[in-house]
Amino acid sequence: MLNFDEARFLKIQKGAASLASRIDTVIASALNGGAENLFFLGTGGVAYLMQPAFQLLQRNSGFPTFLDYPAELVISGSKNLTSRSIVVMPSLSGTTKESVAMLAKLKETGATVLTFVGHEETPLGKGGDHVFVNFAEDDTSCESFYLQSLFVALSVMKFRKEIASYDAVVAELQTLPELLLEVKRSFEPQAETFAAKIAGSDYHIFTGGGNVWPAALYYGTCILEEMQWIRTRPVHASDFFHGTLELVEKGVSVMLFKGEDAYRPLAERVESFAPNYTDKLTVLDSKDFALPGLSEEVRALVSPIVLATVLERVSAHLEVMRNHPLVTRRYYKRVAY
């Protein structure tokens, strides 16, 4: 595979999977200690990666769960954010400015803080009440963070007896690193073609529903806009027909992500509409990839992880094709802002 280290990838994803037991222990301790709600507080792209876990709890658990912006909470606070809150704060670098500021506020509040970082010797790597370190870099962090946040959600549901299949689900998730590597291998022959479709337009509409919507939002915003300077319009499939559809015409690229959860029909609606008006509809469907040994329940949970691992292959080809390395920035961490 182009510019890819298989051993490194497996080590990172196995590292994420290995955190399941400890995450479960910490969540159980916090809930036994009287925790009353949970906040996912990420900044930027990593916040998008928390959304599938947030949605899982929001829709399938009675435990109050929030997803908010640290930059806003530092200013306003929240009546729901108290000493009885569990806070999940992810940051690959461990140094994200807004999250570091939020951490200081959380110390004053007395909430139980779980930090998920790629580097331990950092403010967030040292500052959490419970620190989960799994080294990763931009090209391997999506799967890692998706998986860790999913373990948090599943552990909450286990404690509250809202999921009967916890042990079986977690056991299946332990096999995911090797399965993802096979997904990458199977997609590699198509990755360059997919990348060419992205390189062939200077504007793309990205859309999806359910737990793969964050994958569309992340890829459009954090990869194409930030790392490739390509303009995108991410829009949730639920909102596609309330404004964005008027932008669809011949030559307009629509990138549609399809998952395997209950919200798949939202994507199918877009898929039925778009080809009538544009000749540039591209569909990426997690259902197209073999994941031997995974149940339908788990396949639905990991759809965004599967799409993330495929899109990494697209990015690897795209940066070569456009002669624009993914690490190239104009402003991000280069100028004061």
Side-chain angles (χ1 to χ4, degrees):
M1 287 185 278
L2 178 67
N3 295 335
F4 185 71
D5 185 333
E6 294 187 6
R8 170 175 165 271
F9 175 79
L10 279 177
K11 181 179 180 180
I12 290 167
Q13 305 316 325
K14 286 182 177 181
S18 72
L19 295 173
S21 177
R22 184 172 162 231
I23 289 172
D24 188 47
T25 298
V26 169
I27 292 295
S29 176
L31 292 174
N32 277 320
E36 296 177 346
N37 59 39
L38 187 150
F39 278 76
F40 288 103
L41 297 181
T43 298
V46 75
Y48 306 157
L49 305 178
M50 301 293 105
Q51 288 185 17
F54 164 70
Q55 185 188 69
L56 181 63
L57 286 173
Q58 189 182 49
R59 304 277 170 82
N60 296 281
S61 175
F63 193 65
T65 305
F66 304 88
L67 186 149
D68 215 324
Y69 293 99
E72 290 196 352
L73 288 184
V74 165
I75 295 170
S76 65
S78 168
K79 288 185 178 180
N80 295 300
L81 185 54
T82 70
S83 61
R84 292 188 175 273
S85 297
I86 302 169
V87 175
V88 174
M89 295 190 73
S91 171
L92 179 60
S93 69
T95 61
T96 310
K97 181 178 179 180
E98 297 89 338
S99 295
V100 172
M102 188 69 221
L103 181 62
K105 193 175 186 72
L106 291 170
K107 294 292 186 182
E108 297 174 2
T109 303
T112 299
V113 181
L114 284 63
T115 57
F116 292 82
V117 299
H119 306 276
E120 185 172 9
E121 297 299 321
T122 60
L124 291 176
K126 292 293 187 182
D129 297 304
H130 305 278
V131 179
F132 297 85
V133 182
N134 186 47
F135 170 79
E137 293 180 312
D138 286 339
D139 61 333
T140 53
S141 64
C142 288
E143 300 96 330
S144 176
F145 280 125
Y146 273 135
L147 196 51
Q148 291 175 71
S149 60
L150 180 56
F151 287 140
V152 170
L154 291 171
S155 292
V156 169
M157 293 172 67
K158 171 193 173 184
F159 182 88
R160 294 174 52 83
K161 296 179 170 54
E162 293 167 332
I163 179 171
S165 56
Y166 174 86
D167 290 335
V169 168
V170 171
E172 288 185 40
L173 291 174
Q174 297 304 310
T175 70
L176 195 58
E178 289 86 355
L179 293 177
L180 292 176
L181 181 57
E182 290 306 316
V183 166
K184 285 181 182 290
R185 287 173 175 158
S186 71
F187 186 73
E188 184 69 10
Q190 306 169 53
E192 186 174 5
T193 299
F194 199 103
K197 292 181 179 180
I198 294 176
S201 297
D202 60 2
Y203 169 76
H204 302 272
I205 295 171
F206 274 83
T207 189
N211 65 4
V212 300
W213 155 240
L217 176 61
Y218 182 94
Y219 197 73
T221 303
C222 300
I223 306 301
L224 296 192
E225 290 185 347
E226 179 183 318
M227 300 184 184
Q228 288 293 293
W229 308 343
I230 294 174
R231 292 175 176 83
T232 72
R233 165 64 163 105
V235 58
H236 195 288
S238 296
D239 290 329
F240 187 90
F241 294 97
H242 300 276
T244 304
L245 80 166
E246 290 294 337
L247 298 177
V248 179
E249 60 183 346
K250 186 176 180 180
V252 172
S253 171
V254 177
M255 296 277 174
L256 172 64
F257 290 3
K258 296 177 69 176
E260 299 172 56
D261 61 13
Y263 310 104
R264 185 177 174 90
L266 296 175
E268 292 173 337
R269 186 183 179 198
V270 175
E271 189 175 22
S272 295
F273 170 84
N276 298 309
Y277 304 100
T278 180
D279 53 346
K280 289 189 175 182
L281 171 66
T282 304
V283 179
L284 188 61
D285 188 348
S286 66
K287 205 168 188 177
D288 290 340
F289 300 99
L291 297 169
L294 295 195
S295 61
E296 289 187 6
E297 177 187 11
V298 174
R299 284 193 65 109
L301 290 174
V302 303
S303 290
I305 306 178
V306 172
L307 295 190
T309 216
V310 165
L311 288 164
E312 181 276 325
R313 291 288 76 218
V314 174
S315 300
H317 285 270
L318 186 62
E319 67 173 345
V320 173
M321 188 178 296
R322 300 184 73 243
N323 192 28
H324 186 132
L326 295 170
V327 295
T328 301
R329 304 288 195 280
R330 284 185 288 216
Y331 314 117
Y332 183 68
K333 294 187 177 179
R334 294 184 180 277
V335 301
Y337 53 83

mmCIF file of all heavy atoms in Angstrom, residues 70-119:
data_model
loop_
_atom_site.group_PDB
_atom_site.id
_atom_site.type_symbol
_atom_site.label_atom_id
_atom_site.label_comp_id
_atom_site.label_asym_id
_atom_site.label_seq_id
_atom_site.Cartn_x
_atom_site.Cartn_y
_atom_site.Cartn_z
ATOM 1 N N PRO A 70 -15.683 23.124 24.252
ATOM 2 C CA PRO A 70 -14.900 23.673 25.359
ATOM 3 C C PRO A 70 -14.720 25.177 25.262
ATOM 4 O O PRO A 70 -14.779 25.869 26.289
ATOM 5 C CB PRO A 70 -13.559 22.940 25.224
ATOM 6 C CG PRO A 70 -13.919 21.635 24.613
ATOM 7 C CD PRO A 70 -15.025 21.945 23.646
ATOM 8 N N ALA A 71 -14.522 25.709 24.054
ATOM 9 C CA ALA A 71 -14.310 27.154 23.901
ATOM 10 C C ALA A 71 -15.499 27.955 24.413
ATOM 11 O O ALA A 71 -15.335 29.067 24.926
ATOM 12 C CB ALA A 71 -14.032 27.490 22.431
ATOM 13 N N GLU A 72 -16.713 27.390 24.282
ATOM 14 C CA GLU A 72 -17.896 28.084 24.789
ATOM 15 C C GLU A 72 -18.077 27.857 26.284
ATOM 16 O O GLU A 72 -18.421 28.781 27.026
ATOM 17 C CB GLU A 72 -19.138 27.633 24.023
ATOM 18 C CG GLU A 72 -19.183 28.124 22.589
ATOM 19 C CD GLU A 72 -20.571 27.994 21.968
ATOM 20 O OE1 GLU A 72 -21.465 27.389 22.598
ATOM 21 O OE2 GLU A 72 -20.747 28.508 20.847
ATOM 22 N N LEU A 73 -17.835 26.614 26.735
ATOM 23 C CA LEU A 73 -18.049 26.312 28.143
ATOM 24 C C LEU A 73 -17.074 27.049 29.048
ATOM 25 O O LEU A 73 -17.395 27.354 30.205
ATOM 26 C CB LEU A 73 -17.951 24.806 28.383
ATOM 27 C CG LEU A 73 -19.106 23.955 27.849
ATOM 28 C CD1 LEU A 73 -18.910 22.509 28.244
ATOM 29 C CD2 LEU A 73 -20.444 24.466 28.366
ATOM 30 N N VAL A 74 -15.874 27.328 28.549
ATOM 31 C CA VAL A 74 -14.924 28.121 29.328
ATOM 32 C C VAL A 74 -15.510 29.496 29.631
ATOM 33 O O VAL A 74 -15.296 30.061 30.712
ATOM 34 C CB VAL A 74 -13.584 28.261 28.566
ATOM 35 C CG1 VAL A 74 -12.723 29.357 29.171
ATOM 36 C CG2 VAL A 74 -12.825 26.943 28.582
ATOM 37 N N ILE A 75 -16.280 30.005 28.692
ATOM 38 C CA ILE A 75 -16.895 31.320 28.859
ATOM 39 C C ILE A 75 -18.168 31.245 29.692
ATOM 40 O O ILE A 75 -18.359 32.034 30.626
ATOM 41 C CB ILE A 75 -17.216 31.933 27.478
ATOM 42 C CG1 ILE A 75 -15.928 32.194 26.706
ATOM 43 C CG2 ILE A 75 -18.023 33.232 27.627
ATOM 44 C CD1 ILE A 75 -16.149 32.579 25.256
ATOM 45 N N SER A 76 -19.034 30.290 29.377
ATOM 46 C CA SER A 76 -20.380 30.295 29.958
ATOM 47 C C SER A 76 -20.583 29.316 31.095
ATOM 48 O O SER A 76 -21.445 29.523 31.958
ATOM 49 C CB SER A 76 -21.403 29.970 28.868
ATOM 50 O OG SER A 76 -21.218 28.645 28.403
ATOM 51 N N GLY A 77 -19.810 28.214 31.097
ATOM 52 C CA GLY A 77 -20.111 27.147 32.023
ATOM 53 C C GLY A 77 -21.422 26.476 31.635
ATOM 54 O O GLY A 77 -22.030 26.798 30.618
ATOM 55 N N SER A 78 -21.856 25.532 32.450
ATOM 56 C CA SER A 78 -23.127 24.847 32.219
ATOM 57 C C SER A 78 -23.676 24.372 33.552
ATOM 58 O O SER A 78 -22.935 23.835 34.382
ATOM 59 C CB SER A 78 -22.931 23.647 31.290
ATOM 60 O OG SER A 78 -24.077 22.819 31.277
ATOM 61 N N LYS A 79 -24.968 24.559 33.755
ATOM 62 C CA LYS A 79 -25.588 24.093 34.997
ATOM 63 C C LYS A 79 -25.524 22.584 35.126
ATOM 64 O O LYS A 79 -25.623 22.037 36.224
ATOM 65 C CB LYS A 79 -27.042 24.564 35.050
ATOM 66 C CG LYS A 79 -27.197 26.061 35.302
ATOM 67 C CD LYS A 79 -28.652 26.451 35.459
ATOM 68 C CE LYS A 79 -28.778 27.947 35.756
ATOM 69 N NZ LYS A 79 -30.203 28.368 35.907
ATOM 70 N N ASN A 80 -25.368 21.912 33.990
ATOM 71 C CA ASN A 80 -25.293 20.456 34.016
ATOM 72 C C ASN A 80 -23.891 19.942 34.303
ATOM 73 O O ASN A 80 -23.722 18.768 34.636
ATOM 74 C CB ASN A 80 -25.764 19.891 32.670
ATOM 75 C CG ASN A 80 -27.221 20.163 32.407
ATOM 76 O OD1 ASN A 80 -28.088 19.747 33.166
ATOM 77 N ND2 ASN A 80 -27.508 20.876 31.327
ATOM 78 N N LEU A 81 -22.891 20.802 34.152
ATOM 79 C CA LEU A 81 -21.502 20.392 34.346
ATOM 80 C C LEU A 81 -21.115 20.663 35.799
ATOM 81 O O LEU A 81 -20.890 21.801 36.199
ATOM 82 C CB LEU A 81 -20.588 21.161 33.401
ATOM 83 C CG LEU A 81 -19.101 20.770 33.391
ATOM 84 C CD1 LEU A 81 -18.917 19.284 33.135
ATOM 85 C CD2 LEU A 81 -18.356 21.597 32.360
ATOM 86 N N THR A 82 -21.062 19.578 36.602
ATOM 87 C CA THR A 82 -20.864 19.701 38.042
ATOM 88 C C THR A 82 -19.814 18.697 38.513
ATOM 89 O O THR A 82 -19.208 17.971 37.718
ATOM 90 C CB THR A 82 -22.182 19.421 38.790
ATOM 91 O OG1 THR A 82 -22.495 18.012 38.683
ATOM 92 C CG2 THR A 82 -23.334 20.247 38.212
ATOM 93 N N SER A 83 -19.641 18.631 39.809
ATOM 94 C CA SER A 83 -18.702 17.669 40.391
ATOM 95 C C SER A 83 -19.174 16.234 40.204
ATOM 96 O O SER A 83 -18.405 15.288 40.425
ATOM 97 C CB SER A 83 -18.520 17.958 41.885
ATOM 98 O OG SER A 83 -19.757 17.830 42.565
ATOM 99 N N ARG A 84 -20.420 16.069 39.783
ATOM 100 C CA ARG A 84 -20.954 14.730 39.520
ATOM 101 C C ARG A 84 -20.995 14.403 38.028
ATOM 102 O O ARG A 84 -21.720 13.501 37.606
ATOM 103 C CB ARG A 84 -22.345 14.582 40.144
ATOM 104 C CG ARG A 84 -22.321 14.583 41.678
ATOM 105 C CD ARG A 84 -23.671 14.248 42.269
ATOM 106 N NE ARG A 84 -23.612 14.142 43.716
ATOM 107 C CZ ARG A 84 -23.305 13.037 44.389
ATOM 108 N NH1 ARG A 84 -23.011 11.939 43.711
ATOM 109 N NH2 ARG A 84 -23.300 13.022 45.699
ATOM 110 N N SER A 85 -20.211 15.126 37.261
ATOM 111 C CA SER A 85 -20.125 14.871 35.834
ATOM 112 C C SER A 85 -18.893 14.030 35.509
ATOM 113 O O SER A 85 -17.845 14.175 36.139
ATOM 114 C CB SER A 85 -20.036 16.179 35.050
ATOM 115 O OG SER A 85 -21.205 16.958 35.215
ATOM 116 N N ILE A 86 -19.049 13.166 34.523
ATOM 117 C CA ILE A 86 -17.906 12.494 33.899
ATOM 118 C C ILE A 86 -17.612 13.269 32.621
ATOM 119 O O ILE A 86 -18.513 13.521 31.820
ATOM 120 C CB ILE A 86 -18.228 11.029 33.534
ATOM 121 C CG1 ILE A 86 -18.659 10.235 34.762
ATOM 122 C CG2 ILE A 86 -17.029 10.370 32.850
ATOM 123 C CD1 ILE A 86 -19.231 8.860 34.421
ATOM 124 N N VAL A 87 -16.356 13.636 32.418
ATOM 125 C CA VAL A 87 -15.987 14.393 31.218
ATOM 126 C C VAL A 87 -14.946 13.608 30.430
ATOM 127 O O VAL A 87 -13.921 13.191 30.979
ATOM 128 C CB VAL A 87 -15.417 15.781 31.586
ATOM 129 C CG1 VAL A 87 -14.934 16.502 30.336
ATOM 130 C CG2 VAL A 87 -16.480 16.609 32.306
ATOM 131 N N VAL A 88 -15.228 13.393 29.157
ATOM 132 C CA VAL A 88 -14.295 12.747 28.251
ATOM 133 C C VAL A 88 -13.678 13.820 27.372
ATOM 134 O O VAL A 88 -14.383 14.517 26.641
ATOM 135 C CB VAL A 88 -14.998 11.685 27.381
ATOM 136 C CG1 VAL A 88 -14.034 11.123 26.339
ATOM 137 C CG2 VAL A 88 -15.565 10.576 28.254
ATOM 138 N N MET A 89 -12.365 13.992 27.469
ATOM 139 C CA MET A 89 -11.648 15.010 26.703
ATOM 140 C C MET A 89 -10.576 14.352 25.835
ATOM 141 O O MET A 89 -9.546 13.906 26.349
ATOM 142 C CB MET A 89 -10.996 16.044 27.627
ATOM 143 C CG MET A 89 -11.984 16.875 28.406
ATOM 144 S SD MET A 89 -11.165 18.256 29.253
ATOM 145 C CE MET A 89 -10.813 19.320 27.860
ATOM 146 N N PRO A 90 -10.799 14.282 24.539
ATOM 147 C CA PRO A 90 -9.789 13.741 23.630
ATOM 148 C C PRO A 90 -8.927 14.838 23.026
ATOM 149 O O PRO A 90 -9.395 15.945 22.758
ATOM 150 C CB PRO A 90 -10.644 13.078 22.553
ATOM 151 C CG PRO A 90 -11.847 13.987 22.471
ATOM 152 C CD PRO A 90 -12.076 14.532 23.857
ATOM 153 N N SER A 91 -7.673 14.542 22.814
ATOM 154 C CA SER A 91 -6.768 15.462 22.121
ATOM 155 C C SER A 91 -5.556 14.668 21.675
ATOM 156 O O SER A 91 -4.820 14.149 22.522
ATOM 157 C CB SER A 91 -6.331 16.611 23.022
ATOM 158 O OG SER A 91 -5.307 17.380 22.413
ATOM 159 N N LEU A 92 -5.366 14.554 20.390
ATOM 160 C CA LEU A 92 -4.231 13.784 19.894
ATOM 161 C C LEU A 92 -2.919 14.362 20.405
ATOM 162 O O LEU A 92 -2.059 13.642 20.923
ATOM 163 C CB LEU A 92 -4.242 13.755 18.361
ATOM 164 C CG LEU A 92 -3.090 12.992 17.701
ATOM 165 C CD1 LEU A 92 -3.082 11.538 18.139
ATOM 166 C CD2 LEU A 92 -3.197 13.099 16.189
ATOM 167 N N SER A 93 -2.759 15.670 20.285
ATOM 168 C CA SER A 93 -1.512 16.310 20.709
ATOM 169 C C SER A 93 -1.403 16.422 22.217
ATOM 170 O O SER A 93 -0.304 16.457 22.773
ATOM 171 C CB SER A 93 -1.417 17.713 20.100
ATOM 172 O OG SER A 93 -2.393 18.572 20.676
ATOM 173 N N GLY A 94 -2.551 16.501 22.890
ATOM 174 C CA GLY A 94 -2.567 16.731 24.333
ATOM 175 C C GLY A 94 -2.330 18.175 24.707
ATOM 176 O O GLY A 94 -2.211 18.509 25.885
ATOM 177 N N THR A 95 -2.277 19.049 23.687
ATOM 178 C CA THR A 95 -1.946 20.457 23.940
ATOM 179 C C THR A 95 -2.992 21.424 23.384
ATOM 180 O O THR A 95 -2.772 22.634 23.395
ATOM 181 C CB THR A 95 -0.593 20.813 23.295
ATOM 182 O OG1 THR A 95 -0.678 20.618 21.869
ATOM 183 C CG2 THR A 95 0.524 19.949 23.862
ATOM 184 N N THR A 96 -4.112 20.926 22.883
ATOM 185 C CA THR A 96 -5.122 21.779 22.253
ATOM 186 C C THR A 96 -5.518 22.925 23.173
ATOM 187 O O THR A 96 -5.954 22.706 24.307
ATOM 188 C CB THR A 96 -6.368 20.958 21.884
ATOM 189 O OG1 THR A 96 -5.964 19.793 21.151
ATOM 190 C CG2 THR A 96 -7.318 21.788 21.042
ATOM 191 N N LYS A 97 -5.338 24.146 22.685
ATOM 192 C CA LYS A 97 -5.469 25.339 23.518
ATOM 193 C C LYS A 97 -6.801 25.414 24.254
ATOM 194 O O LYS A 97 -6.849 25.637 25.473
ATOM 195 C CB LYS A 97 -5.289 26.584 22.637
ATOM 196 C CG LYS A 97 -5.364 27.901 23.368
ATOM 197 C CD LYS A 97 -5.133 29.070 22.399
ATOM 198 C CE LYS A 97 -5.228 30.411 23.118
ATOM 199 N NZ LYS A 97 -5.013 31.542 22.180
ATOM 200 N N GLU A 98 -7.903 25.238 23.510
ATOM 201 C CA GLU A 98 -9.224 25.370 24.126
ATOM 202 C C GLU A 98 -9.476 24.281 25.164
ATOM 203 O O GLU A 98 -10.098 24.521 26.201
ATOM 204 C CB GLU A 98 -10.313 25.311 23.042
ATOM 205 C CG GLU A 98 -10.249 26.445 22.029
ATOM 206 C CD GLU A 98 -9.372 26.143 20.826
ATOM 207 O OE1 GLU A 98 -8.485 25.250 20.929
ATOM 208 O OE2 GLU A 98 -9.569 26.789 19.781
ATOM 209 N N SER A 99 -8.979 23.083 24.880
ATOM 210 C CA SER A 99 -9.175 21.974 25.809
ATOM 211 C C SER A 99 -8.329 22.128 27.072
ATOM 212 O O SER A 99 -8.767 21.778 28.172
ATOM 213 C CB SER A 99 -8.868 20.648 25.117
ATOM 214 O OG SER A 99 -9.781 20.405 24.074
ATOM 215 N N VAL A 100 -7.132 22.654 26.917
ATOM 216 C CA VAL A 100 -6.288 22.907 28.090
ATOM 217 C C VAL A 100 -6.948 23.939 28.999
ATOM 218 O O VAL A 100 -6.961 23.793 30.227
ATOM 219 C CB VAL A 100 -4.884 23.373 27.654
ATOM 220 C CG1 VAL A 100 -4.070 23.834 28.859
ATOM 221 C CG2 VAL A 100 -4.149 22.236 26.935
ATOM 222 N N ALA A 101 -7.519 24.973 28.414
ATOM 223 C CA ALA A 101 -8.231 25.987 29.199
ATOM 224 C C ALA A 101 -9.436 25.364 29.897
ATOM 225 O O ALA A 101 -9.728 25.676 31.062
ATOM 226 C CB ALA A 101 -8.668 27.135 28.301
ATOM 227 N N MET A 102 -10.133 24.485 29.211
ATOM 228 C CA MET A 102 -11.300 23.825 29.785
ATOM 229 C C MET A 102 -10.901 22.911 30.928
ATOM 230 O O MET A 102 -11.605 22.794 31.931
ATOM 231 C CB MET A 102 -12.026 23.017 28.703
ATOM 232 C CG MET A 102 -13.367 22.447 29.151
ATOM 233 S SD MET A 102 -14.593 23.738 29.404
ATOM 234 C CE MET A 102 -15.395 23.153 30.903
ATOM 235 N N LEU A 103 -9.754 22.274 30.794
ATOM 236 C CA LEU A 103 -9.279 21.375 31.843
ATOM 237 C C LEU A 103 -9.102 22.126 33.150
ATOM 238 O O LEU A 103 -9.465 21.629 34.222
ATOM 239 C CB LEU A 103 -7.963 20.730 31.414
ATOM 240 C CG LEU A 103 -7.338 19.742 32.407
ATOM 241 C CD1 LEU A 103 -8.255 18.547 32.639
ATOM 242 C CD2 LEU A 103 -5.977 19.269 31.897
ATOM 243 N N ALA A 104 -8.572 23.335 33.083
ATOM 244 C CA ALA A 104 -8.393 24.141 34.290
ATOM 245 C C ALA A 104 -9.741 24.436 34.944
ATOM 246 O O ALA A 104 -9.874 24.396 36.174
ATOM 247 C CB ALA A 104 -7.673 25.441 33.945
ATOM 248 N N LYS A 105 -10.736 24.717 34.127
ATOM 249 C CA LYS A 105 -12.071 25.003 34.653
ATOM 250 C C LYS A 105 -12.689 23.755 35.281
ATOM 251 O O LYS A 105 -13.359 23.821 36.318
ATOM 252 C CB LYS A 105 -12.966 25.531 33.536
ATOM 253 C CG LYS A 105 -14.279 26.146 34.009
ATOM 254 C CD LYS A 105 -15.044 26.750 32.847
ATOM 255 C CE LYS A 105 -16.294 27.494 33.317
ATOM 256 N NZ LYS A 105 -15.964 28.746 34.002
ATOM 257 N N LEU A 106 -12.426 22.610 34.673
ATOM 258 C CA LEU A 106 -12.959 21.356 35.197
ATOM 259 C C LEU A 106 -12.340 21.008 36.542
ATOM 260 O O LEU A 106 -12.994 20.411 37.407
ATOM 261 C CB LEU A 106 -12.705 20.231 34.192
ATOM 262 C CG LEU A 106 -13.512 20.304 32.895
ATOM 263 C CD1 LEU A 106 -12.995 19.285 31.891
ATOM 264 C CD2 LEU A 106 -14.994 20.092 33.165
ATOM 265 N N LYS A 107 -11.072 21.367 36.719
ATOM 266 C CA LYS A 107 -10.425 21.133 38.014
ATOM 267 C C LYS A 107 -11.146 21.901 39.118
ATOM 268 O O LYS A 107 -11.320 21.407 40.230
ATOM 269 C CB LYS A 107 -8.953 21.561 37.949
ATOM 270 C CG LYS A 107 -8.086 20.718 37.020
ATOM 271 C CD LYS A 107 -7.913 19.302 37.535
ATOM 272 C CE LYS A 107 -6.923 18.524 36.678
ATOM 273 N NZ LYS A 107 -6.777 17.125 37.152
ATOM 274 N N GLU A 108 -11.570 23.117 38.785
ATOM 275 C CA GLU A 108 -12.313 23.926 39.755
ATOM 276 C C GLU A 108 -13.690 23.331 40.027
ATOM 277 O O GLU A 108 -14.180 23.351 41.152
ATOM 278 C CB GLU A 108 -12.463 25.353 39.229
ATOM 279 C CG GLU A 108 -11.153 26.101 39.042
ATOM 280 C CD GLU A 108 -11.360 27.455 38.381
ATOM 281 O OE1 GLU A 108 -12.537 27.807 38.105
ATOM 282 O OE2 GLU A 108 -10.362 28.151 38.128
ATOM 283 N N THR A 109 -14.296 22.784 38.992
ATOM 284 C CA THR A 109 -15.639 22.217 39.120
ATOM 285 C C THR A 109 -15.635 20.916 39.901
ATOM 286 O O THR A 109 -16.587 20.603 40.620
ATOM 287 C CB THR A 109 -16.237 21.970 37.714
ATOM 288 O OG1 THR A 109 -16.245 23.204 36.987
ATOM 289 C CG2 THR A 109 -17.643 21.411 37.794
ATOM 290 N N GLY A 110 -14.585 20.146 39.749
ATOM 291 C CA GLY A 110 -14.489 18.872 40.453
ATOM 292 C C GLY A 110 -15.042 17.696 39.692
ATOM 293 O O GLY A 110 -15.245 16.617 40.265
ATOM 294 N N ALA A 111 -15.291 17.869 38.408
ATOM 295 C CA ALA A 111 -15.768 16.759 37.579
ATOM 296 C C ALA A 111 -14.687 15.691 37.454
ATOM 297 O O ALA A 111 -13.490 15.960 37.621
ATOM 298 C CB ALA A 111 -16.157 17.290 36.202
ATOM 299 N N THR A 112 -15.112 14.470 37.156
ATOM 300 C CA THR A 112 -14.185 13.378 36.904
ATOM 301 C C THR A 112 -13.773 13.430 35.437
ATOM 302 O O THR A 112 -14.609 13.265 34.546
ATOM 303 C CB THR A 112 -14.826 12.022 37.212
ATOM 304 O OG1 THR A 112 -15.193 11.986 38.595
ATOM 305 C CG2 THR A 112 -13.857 10.886 36.903
ATOM 306 N N VAL A 113 -12.483 13.669 35.182
ATOM 307 C CA VAL A 113 -12.018 13.918 33.818
ATOM 308 C C VAL A 113 -11.226 12.730 33.281
ATOM 309 O O VAL A 113 -10.236 12.303 33.889
ATOM 310 C CB VAL A 113 -11.147 15.190 33.761
ATOM 311 C CG1 VAL A 113 -10.680 15.450 32.334
ATOM 312 C CG2 VAL A 113 -11.915 16.388 34.294
ATOM 313 N N LEU A 114 -11.679 12.216 32.136
ATOM 314 C CA LEU A 114 -10.950 11.183 31.415
ATOM 315 C C LEU A 114 -10.348 11.841 30.181
ATOM 316 O O LEU A 114 -11.079 12.416 29.362
ATOM 317 C CB LEU A 114 -11.884 10.055 30.955
ATOM 318 C CG LEU A 114 -12.380 9.026 31.966
ATOM 319 C CD1 LEU A 114 -13.225 9.663 33.062
ATOM 320 C CD2 LEU A 114 -13.191 7.947 31.239
ATOM 321 N N THR A 115 -9.035 11.822 30.068
ATOM 322 C CA THR A 115 -8.403 12.372 28.873
ATOM 323 C C THR A 115 -7.895 11.232 27.995
ATOM 324 O O THR A 115 -7.349 10.243 28.493
ATOM 325 C CB THR A 115 -7.240 13.323 29.217
ATOM 326 O OG1 THR A 115 -6.270 12.632 30.011
ATOM 327 C CG2 THR A 115 -7.749 14.539 29.972
ATOM 328 N N PHE A 116 -8.098 11.398 26.697
ATOM 329 C CA PHE A 116 -7.634 10.433 25.699
ATOM 330 C C PHE A 116 -6.641 11.153 24.806
ATOM 331 O O PHE A 116 -7.005 12.082 24.082
ATOM 332 C CB PHE A 116 -8.808 9.904 24.875
ATOM 333 C CG PHE A 116 -9.763 9.052 25.665
ATOM 334 C CD1 PHE A 116 -10.747 9.628 26.444
ATOM 335 C CD2 PHE A 116 -9.650 7.675 25.639
ATOM 336 C CE1 PHE A 116 -11.616 8.850 27.180
ATOM 337 C CE2 PHE A 116 -10.518 6.875 26.381
ATOM 338 C CZ PHE A 116 -11.516 7.467 27.163
ATOM 339 N N VAL A 117 -5.376 10.763 24.870
ATOM 340 C CA VAL A 117 -4.319 11.501 24.187
ATOM 341 C C VAL A 117 -3.371 10.564 23.446
ATOM 342 O O VAL A 117 -3.313 9.362 23.716
ATOM 343 C CB VAL A 117 -3.505 12.363 25.183
ATOM 344 C CG1 VAL A 117 -4.394 13.392 25.879
ATOM 345 C CG2 VAL A 117 -2.806 11.474 26.215
ATOM 346 N N GLY A 118 -2.630 11.157 22.534
ATOM 347 C CA GLY A 118 -1.591 10.404 21.844
ATOM 348 C C GLY A 118 -0.223 10.579 22.464
ATOM 349 O O GLY A 118 0.715 9.842 22.132
ATOM 350 N N HIS A 119 -0.107 11.557 23.374
ATOM 351 C CA HIS A 119 1.194 11.877 23.965
ATOM 352 C C HIS A 119 1.017 12.180 25.449
ATOM 353 O O HIS A 119 0.246 13.073 25.822
ATOM 354 C CB HIS A 119 1.818 13.073 23.240
ATOM 355 C CG HIS A 119 1.909 12.878 21.753
ATOM 356 N ND1 HIS A 119 2.947 12.196 21.167
ATOM 357 C CD2 HIS A 119 1.075 13.250 20.753
ATOM 358 C CE1 HIS A 119 2.753 12.161 19.854
ATOM 359 N NE2 HIS A 119 1.629 12.799 19.580
#
